[in-house]
Amino acid sequence: MNNLRLARAWAAIFLCAAASSAGAQACTEDQAAAKQEELISYLDKRQEKAPMVLEIIEEVETDYGGEPKGDDVCGALEKVLARIREL
């Protein structure tokens, strides 16, 4: 359970920060929120995958040189979701 809580907290931080920078960019706050819901739902249903999800989020954030901003937000979220769908 600790891994699940850690992954959910990390995802929430990553996604909330991303959503707040989405603003008037190509990725709206509603789109970012929908992607966040999908990620949280995945974690709720597949708790055993939390450590892998955490690694994926870290890797995607590294690809963007830190927290994604602006036009990169939805792309980063979609990369995370695409990779977890393959787990």
Side-chain angles (χ1 to χ4, degrees), residues 14-34:
F14 173 78
L15 295 170
C16 287
S20 68
S21 67
Q25 304 296 327
C27 178
T28 67
E29 286 186 37
D30 288 342
Q31 291 169 320

Side-chain angles (χ1 to χ4, degrees), residues 44-74:
D44 285 342
K45 293 175 186 170
R46 295 166 188 89
Q47 296 177 11
E48 74 282 358
K49 306 261 184 186
M52 290 177 272
V53 172
L54 184 57
E55 287 179 27
I56 290 168
I57 291 171
E58 290 172 346
E59 289 169 7
V60 169
E61 191 172 71
T62 298
D63 289 346
Y64 282 90
E67 175 186 303
K69 297 195 182 340
D71 290 335
D72 293 333
V73 172
C74 278

